[in-house]
Amino acid sequence: MSFERNVFINCPFDNDYKPLLKALIFTIVHLDFEPQIAITTSSANVRIHQIMRLIRDSKYSIHDISRCAPLRQGELPRFNMPYEMGLDIGCGQYGAGKLRNKQCLVLEKEKNRYDAVISDISGQDIKDHNNEPKELIEKVREWFGAILNTQVPGAVNIWDKYNDCLIAINTIFQNEFTQQEINNFQPAEFIKAVKLTRTLP
Amino acid sequence: MPVLKEIKEPGKKKTAIPDNGKATKPRVIKMTKKMAEQIRTMSKGWIHIMPSDEKWRVRKHGSLRASGIYNDINTAISAAKKIADSATNSEIFVHNTNGEVTQTIHK
């Protein structure tokens, strides 16, 4: 896939975030873009190199920093997402040629929460999804609608298609996988499954 | 699913073979014409009930227009069942706010 169609996704991979990630992946594929996501099983050293390559190869990127908070009281928050977002913004600022055209969207759970923890982020395109997949679809669609020259489908249309897609995936894979396995598809598997449903008449 | 056992011969890489001695190939799931046609036929009878702004939308699969919007889930299910009566092999899917199916009603 080309630089022009690639969308780098920088987000958590935990089960709590999975409904949001699935909706995000579907929206990107539905709008004819190619989601680029790091394989989580790689070692730390391999993973960061993979991420840098994905950042370099993607015109668009979506960073979800909604989980930049300690999971439990007394723990430190996770810094991977802001770190990777910094790499991406830096790539667009200091890179040459096509890298100057990079565009990024930052997703948050609540409006202005980032002001308290990462105030230098002001000036970026930041949208809040309230931890709701439907709202995430609305915000991602709104962003693509603003930066693309072409008309993109409405948010309700994408949300309906997403619900249809989940049923189609269950039906396609029900003879090979249990429902729990389908629900727990890794991002790469889910991308393949969504693409498979797009071949339906 | 066959149980795999590990064999190792001197000078050779480890190989995993199933108990029945036959090598297994990773199965790639592809959308065949037959499968696509089956799903297309089945999906004609699929009806979705989806939460929307504290109400419930009833919608036929693939349709962008709601058949109706209802204040409570039971009224929505009744309405979906009426639509299902007009189709053969209907299935009603109740979704949650994540889009996941929480209940399937076979008609």
Side-chain angles (χ1 to χ4, degrees):
Chain A
M1 263 289 180
S2 70
F3 174 79
E4 296 289 326
R5 305 307 294 175
N6 285 347
V7 182
F8 170 61
I9 300 175
N10 171 23
C11 69
F13 294 103
D14 53 73
N15 282 338
D16 274 358
Y17 189 77
K18 201 164 257 181
L20 293 158
L21 177 56
K22 283 179 166 181
L24 177 58
I25 286 173
F26 175 82
T27 307
I28 292 169
V29 175
H30 187 69
L31 297 179
D32 279 333
F33 288 93
E34 186 70 26
Q36 302 291 315
I37 202 157
I39 299 163
T40 49
T41 49
S42 309
S43 69
N45 187 37
V46 172
R47 190 168 182 273
I48 194 62
H49 284 100
Q50 187 194 19
I51 285 164
M52 288 194 280
R53 184 176 52 76
L54 295 179
I55 287 173
R56 205 173 45 234
D57 291 346
S58 304
K59 179 173 178 179
Y60 304 99
S61 43
I62 297 175
H63 306 275
D64 194 324
I65 56 168
S66 62
R67 299 300 198 270
C68 292
L71 291 175
R72 290 178 204 88
Q73 205 173 6
E75 280 187 359
L76 286 170
R78 288 175 293 177
F79 293 115
N80 274 352
M81 274 82 72
Y83 174 63
E84 290 166 23
M85 182 176 72
L87 287 174
D88 184 51
I89 293 172
C91 180
Q93 289 292 317
Y94 306 126
K98 64 183 182 183
L99 296 177
R100 307 289 291 181
N101 301 326
K102 279 171 73 67
Q103 307 243 25
C104 85
L105 167 68
V106 182
L107 294 171
E108 249 291 19
K109 63 180 166 190
E110 295 155 21
K111 222 169 195 172
N112 302 334
R113 190 187 73 107
Y114 52 86
D115 280 344
V117 287
I118 184 168
S119 58
D120 283 350
I121 204 176
S122 299
Q124 298 294 327
D125 209 348
I126 306 167
K127 295 188 188 293
D128 54 301
H129 53 54
N130 204 23
N131 280 334
E132 293 288 343
K134 193 178 174 188
E135 284 190 41
L136 180 142
I137 286 178
E138 284 168 13
K139 300 301 163 71
V140 172
R141 183 256 160 232
E142 193 179 287
W143 179 67
F144 274 115
I147 60 170
L148 299 177
N149 291 327
T150 52
Q151 187 67 40
V152 295
V156 175
N157 177 329
I158 302 172
W159 175 247
D160 285 351
K161 297 270 184 202
Y162 174 58
N163 281 259
D164 289 359
C165 171
L166 293 178
I167 303 292
I169 287 174
N170 289 346
T171 310
I172 293 167
F173 292 95
Q174 66 186 357
N175 294 333
E176 303 284 336
F177 298 92
T178 65
Q179 187 58 55
Q180 196 182 4
E181 285 172 328
I182 295 171
N183 292 343
N184 291 333
F185 271 173
Q186 291 300 303
E189 281 180 295
F190 188 70
I191 293 169
K192 280 188 278 184
V194 171
K195 287 181 178 175
L196 200 60
T197 64
R198 281 169 64 82
T199 62
L200 284 169
Chain B
M1 189 75 177
V3 180
L4 298 181
K5 64 178 181 183
E6 207 170 66
I7 55 162
K8 195 181 179 188
E9 292 173 31
K12 282 195 174 180
K13 280 185 179 175
K14 281 181 182 179
T15 324
I17 58 163
D19 262 347
N20 60 11
K22 288 179 186 169
T24 51
K25 271 188 196 171
R27 195 169 129 63
V28 179
I29 297 176
K30 285 183 182 168
M31 182 65 69
T32 59
K33 270 187 181 175
K34 191 181 166 190
M35 191 195 285
E37 190 51 40
Q38 271 177 351
I39 292 173
R40 196 179 70 84
T41 310
M42 287 163 72
S43 66
K44 283 180 183 170
W46 290 348
I47 298 157
H48 301 263
I49 301 177
M50 303 157 65
S52 175
D53 298 329
E54 297 183 4
K55 292 187 177 181
W56 295 89
R57 275 175 77 217
V58 175
R59 184 179 63 82
K60 282 184 182 173
H61 186 86
S63 169
L64 296 178
R65 191 179 294 173
S67 308
I69 297 171
Y70 304 90
N71 287 330
D72 67 276
I73 182 69
N74 291 329
T75 320
I77 290 173
S78 301
K81 281 180 176 172
K82 275 183 192 162
I83 299 169
D85 282 341
S86 60
T88 49
N89 299 322
S90 281
E91 278 184 292
I92 299 165
F93 301 104
V94 181
H95 296 260
N96 62 15
T97 51
N98 289 338
E100 295 154 352
V101 176
T102 52
Q103 193 184 350
T104 306
I105 301 162
H106 301 273
K107 275 288 287 178

